[in-house]
Amino acid sequence: MFFSGLHVGSGQIRCAHGILPVPSPATELLLRDIPSYGGSVWGELCTPTGAALLKYFCQEFDSRPVMRVKKTGYGMGKKDFEQANCIRAMWGETDGSKDSVIELRCNLDDMTPEGIGFAMECLMEAGALDVYTIPVGMKKNRPGVLLM
């Protein structure tokens, strides 16, 4: 997987701990050794959760390689900025691509069993090799499900 440099935003944010600079101290710590930049957008574009996910899944930071894009996904943020508040992920193949299997997992703490079953069916229809769940304890002692 390749990731481009990360636009974190600029300025300050108001949170439970008061007014903090962007990126927040937690985000900054997680993004150590990861290429990032501030830009002209006033606000937080990368949260600690986003930084943690990026650090976990990232294999390499570089400009986008030459590739044949197979699928594209977008995630839209809730805040309004001068430009679109979204993230784009592109799945593709390079000439040096090798067959591989990637394991994706997510913790769910507020989803009905019917919704989980539907998600499992959709993942299998989309080409997943296997889909299963494991009961887990979530933050604040809530019961949850690990979807793999």
Side-chain angles (χ1 to χ4, degrees):
M1 282 191 223
F2 293 88
F3 293 86
S4 61
L6 185 62
H7 189 182
V8 296
S10 63
Q12 300 172 331
I13 56 167
R14 183 178 308 275
C15 66
H17 304 292
I19 297 175
L20 296 175
V22 171
S24 69
T27 302
E28 185 275 326
L29 181 64
L30 288 163
L31 293 179
R32 294 245 169 109
D33 299 322
I34 293 177
S36 63
Y37 60 98
S40 61
V41 175
W42 185 265
E44 183 180 43
L45 297 179
C46 182
T47 64
T49 302
L53 288 168
L54 188 66
K55 188 142 195 164
Y56 179 81
F57 287 109
C58 175
Q59 295 173 351
E60 186 175 344
F61 284 91
D62 202 350
S63 59
R64 180 182 153 200
V66 175
M67 66 183 204
R68 290 175 294 283
V69 176
K70 301 294 184 185
K71 295 183 180 183
T72 304
Y74 291 89
M76 306 305 282
K78 293 180 181 177
K79 291 183 182 177
D80 290 326
F81 294 108
E82 295 174 8
Q83 63 191 45
N85 182 12
C86 68
I87 186 167
R88 178 177 62 177
M90 294 183 287
W91 188 274
E93 296 175 353
T94 64
D95 287 336
S97 293
K98 298 177 184 169
D99 288 337
S100 63
V101 175
I102 296 175
E103 179 182 79
L104 298 175
R105 10 177 163 175
C106 64
N107 295 330
L108 306 169
D109 69 353
D110 189 18
M111 193 168 184
T112 67
E114 296 84 3
I116 293 170
F118 178 71
M120 293 174 73
E121 289 174 15
C122 290
L123 291 168
M124 289 301 290
E125 288 173 7
L129 299 176
D130 193 15
V131 180
Y132 60 95
T133 61
I134 299 173
V136 294
M138 304 289 289
K139 62 184 175 186
K140 299 182 183 176
N141 297 318
R142 291 190 295 247
V145 173
L146 174 60
L147 177 65
M148 298 179 69

